[in-house]
Amino acid sequence: MALSRSSSTSASTFKTAVETAEKLVQPQSSSTFHDPFSIVSHEMSNLAKSIANLIGSGHPTLNRVSSYYFEAEGKNVRPLIVLLLSKSLAAIPIEQRNRIKIDTYDVTNQPHYNGTPTETVVAGNSVDDSISPLAILHGINPRVILDPLSKPMDKLPEFDAMNGILPKQRRLAEIVEMIHTASLLHDDVIDLSDSRRGRPSGNIAFTNKMAVLAGDFLLGRASVAIARLRNPEVIELLSTTIANLVEGEFMQLKNTVMSNDSQSIVNDGEKKVIPEPTGKVPTKQHEYSVSTPAEVDHITNVDAAFEYYLHKTYLKTASLMSKSSRAAAVLSGAHDDIIENCYEFGRNLGLCFQIVDDMLDYTASDATFGKPSQADLKLGLATAPILFAWKEQPELGELIARKFSEPGDVEIARNAVKKYSGLEKTREMAHEYCYKALQNLRVLPESDARSALEFLTNSVLTRNK
């Protein structure tokens, strides 16, 4: 399979998929509906403006850094998935939404589903209402009663009534993008990146310290918005995604810089011994984990390395997609089977998305990718293409174990990937996850929104950035 064929067509297909999907989360009566480009601009502008209202601080420089990545043109795939999935869920008859009780504020123009009389409303109240007094939240008595932590988007109720997306689902989409953007700020510092979305990365444009603090601030603001959803299950899901992102990054760090003895790390070429635990704070690894390649056999066990790679990929990328998809279904009141398939859809799509990303790292140019390409091998990361080559050429295990650190290692690895069709096999793996994601969507009623999700899912395979 020729991976380089019609790269411009691939880019166009993915862009068309996003534009088509974005049109479907617009109100049908919008005067701009006849102009697809203005519709895309309008939706993205509202998303960015709404997020800006959520992240405002009392410090102008902090506002500047925390909003920096929202200014550039990003894929915005994660919030788009939440919005389209929410619209697809709206096609389920209200009497079949028996998972939780839905309050009148959430349902907008739909009939009120009462549920079991003994249940309590867990979804209630506006996403824009604070739970604690504002003077306490801000630590100051403002001259004007204003809540910069959350302000409603213009004409939001009318939008929701027309397109079937609940207010809490729309806020969920905004929260997801905030969490994702915070992870980008942190990742660029960790990976020493110098570009993101076609311009200097946050750590370069400002400083490492400011980028880290801005990422922390975004997570803090996201946490406030999460709490205001007032749904314990959704709060638990979204809070876990933040922990998952950190776990995944640690797995990648270990895969990059950890020594085989797991008792030391290599930082900037210098070996540093990890402090021994004192025993005052007992810690144990939870059962939902995988063995590291070093714990099994860091040179010969390819299967263990693949398991490690896929779990890391889930934590870093698919967790946010899967748990936000599940949260959208929970907020809709859908029953357990729908909720589970929404979760699996996000999981499979997230794995597909990242696997394609890992493949593009070998094939895309810096200008197309929007960030440095061919970086994984230089960072010592063993992703799917080189793992497939490792299966055919066992001696690559030694290069992977030393993180491609010796002269010529990166070139040897790239040649092996080409020789043993590592990219083609990686694409086949992505196809499998894409197919599973499409099957998960089949549990939803047929609708334009579901068709858009299917189109978007298929286009992930053909994108080139």
Side-chain angles (χ1 to χ4, degrees):
M1 184 180 297
L3 295 175
S4 61
R5 67 185 183 197
S6 189
S7 61
S8 61
T9 301
S10 299
S12 176
T13 301
F14 187 65
K15 181 179 179 181
T16 301
V18 172
E19 290 174 354
T20 303
E22 285 167 341
K23 287 167 63 177
L24 290 169
V25 296
Q26 297 298 309
Q28 295 298 315
S29 61
S30 171
S31 60
T32 60
F33 191 78
H34 302 291
D35 183 354
F37 293 101
S38 66
I39 288 174
V40 172
S41 173
H42 179 69
E43 178 63 20
M44 291 301 100
S45 172
N46 275 322
L47 178 70
K49 284 196 302 183
S50 187
I51 291 175
N53 287 334
L54 290 171
I55 62 176
S57 80
H59 197 290
T61 306
L62 177 55
N63 288 340
R64 181 74 190 92
V65 185
S66 59
S67 63
Y68 181 66
Y69 279 170
F70 296 110
E71 297 172 347
E73 182 180 352
K75 303 183 189 75
N76 296 305
V77 171
R78 291 156 187 83
L80 186 57
I81 289 170
V82 170
L83 293 172
L84 284 173
L85 190 57
S86 299
K87 190 172 176 66
S88 299
L89 289 159
I92 300 174
I94 195 69
E95 61 271 12
Q96 294 179 20
R97 303 194 207 177
N98 52 13
R99 176 65 156 69
I100 60 169
K101 200 170 182 181
I102 305 174
D103 66 272
T104 52
Y105 178 83
D106 269 347
V107 179
T108 60
N109 64 334
Q110 298 169 338
H112 184 194
Y113 175 66
N114 292 317
T116 305
T118 57
E119 290 179 349
T120 58
V121 176
V122 296
N125 300 318
S126 167
V127 293
D128 296 309
D129 292 342
S130 66
I131 300 170
S132 304
L134 297 181
I136 292 176
L137 292 180
H138 299 296
I140 191 172
N141 292 318
R143 297 175 183 174
V144 180
I145 301 301
L146 180 66
D147 181 14
L149 294 181
S150 182
K151 287 178 279 186
M153 188 170 69
D154 295 339
K155 299 183 179 179
L156 180 59
E158 289 85 346
F159 272 41
D160 291 330
M162 286 184 222
N163 63 23
I165 298 172
L166 307 180
K168 292 185 180 181
Q169 292 171 327
R170 185 177 291 276
R171 181 53 49 83
L172 172 65
E174 296 157 6
I175 291 168
V176 166
E177 187 65 6
M178 290 169 68
I179 294 173
H180 171 62
T181 303
S183 74
L184 296 184
L185 283 164
H186 288 161
D187 285 352
D188 286 345
V189 172
I190 292 169
D191 296 338
L192 305 177
S193 299
D194 57 12
S195 64
R196 169 73 64 177
R197 294 176 177 174
R199 63 179 188 167
S201 55
N203 49 304
I204 297 297
F206 301 95
T207 62
N208 280 343
K209 291 180 180 179
M210 285 190 176
V212 170
L213 290 171
D216 292 345
F217 179 74
L218 281 177
L219 293 178
R221 282 292 192 252
S223 297
V224 173
I226 291 169
R228 290 182 179 177
L229 294 176
R230 293 170 167 85
N231 184 299
E233 187 171 359
V234 172
I235 291 171
E236 183 179 63
L237 284 167
L238 296 181
S239 299
T240 304
T241 66
I242 299 174
N244 288 160
L245 285 167
V246 177
E247 288 180 276
E249 192 60 46
F250 255 82
M251 287 184 75
Q252 182 159 298
L253 279 173
K254 180 167 184 176
N255 195 31
T256 305
V257 300
M258 276 286 187
S259 302
N260 295 335
D261 60 13
S262 74
Q263 298 301 316
S264 63
I265 57 173
V266 177
N267 184 34
D268 295 332
E270 295 184 5
K271 187 173 181 178
K272 182 177 179 65
V273 176
I274 298 175
E276 290 287 339
T278 63
K280 290 183 178 180
V281 181
T283 59
K284 70 174 183 177
Q285 192 170 331
H286 64 65
E287 58 185 305
Y288 298 98
S289 59
V290 298
S291 299
T292 66
E295 289 170 346
V296 183
D297 188 328
H298 70 281
I299 293 181
T300 62
N301 199 315
V302 182
D303 292 336
F306 256 111
E307 184 184 11
Y308 189 89
Y309 162 72
L310 288 173
H311 188 56
K312 179 203 72 176
T313 299
Y314 169 78
L315 293 171
K316 280 182 61 67
T317 303
S319 171
L320 187 56
M321 289 188 183
S322 62
K323 290 184 174 70
S324 61
S325 295
R326 185 181 181 91
V330 168
L331 290 172
S332 77
H335 59 69
D336 287 351
D337 179 59
I338 298 292
I339 291 173
E340 190 62 33
N341 272 280
C342 286
Y343 169 79
E344 289 295 332
F345 162 73
R347 180 182 185 276
N348 289 319
L349 180 61
L351 289 172
C352 175
F353 191 92
Q354 186 58 51
I355 290 168
V356 171
D357 224 41
D358 293 340
M359 183 178 66
L360 290 175
D361 190 71
Y362 283 78
T363 60
S365 65
D366 288 9
T368 301
F369 213 24
K371 57 184 178 181
S373 61
Q374 305 177 27
D376 286 347
L377 289 175
K378 296 173 185 176
L379 289 171
L381 301 180
T383 56
I386 189 62
L387 293 179
F388 276 117
W390 183 16
K391 282 189 173 184
E392 305 297 328
Q393 187 173 327
E395 55 268 29
L396 288 174
E398 295 187 8
L399 277 69
I400 293 171
R402 64 179 181 244
K403 323 303 179 191
F404 314 106
S405 59
E406 295 187 5
D409 281 358
V410 170
E411 191 61 33
I412 292 172
R414 289 185 60 82
N415 289 337
V417 167
K418 183 176 181 180
K419 179 179 179 181
Y420 296 108
S421 304
L423 295 178
E424 288 82 352
K425 292 173 182 176
T426 300
R427 181 178 286 276
E428 289 173 10
M429 176 187 279
H431 267 283
E432 292 176 6
Y433 284 110
C434 177
Y435 174 78
K436 291 178 181 178
L438 292 171
Q439 291 301 108
N440 294 133
L441 289 175
R442 295 291 187 266
V443 302
L444 299 173
E446 289 188 12
S447 66
D448 288 343
R450 196 190 85 172
S451 297
L453 276 175
E454 292 167 346
F455 185 29
L456 191 63
T457 300
N458 277 313
S459 70
V460 167
L461 291 171
T462 58
R463 68 189 180 95
N464 72 349
K465 64 178 181 178

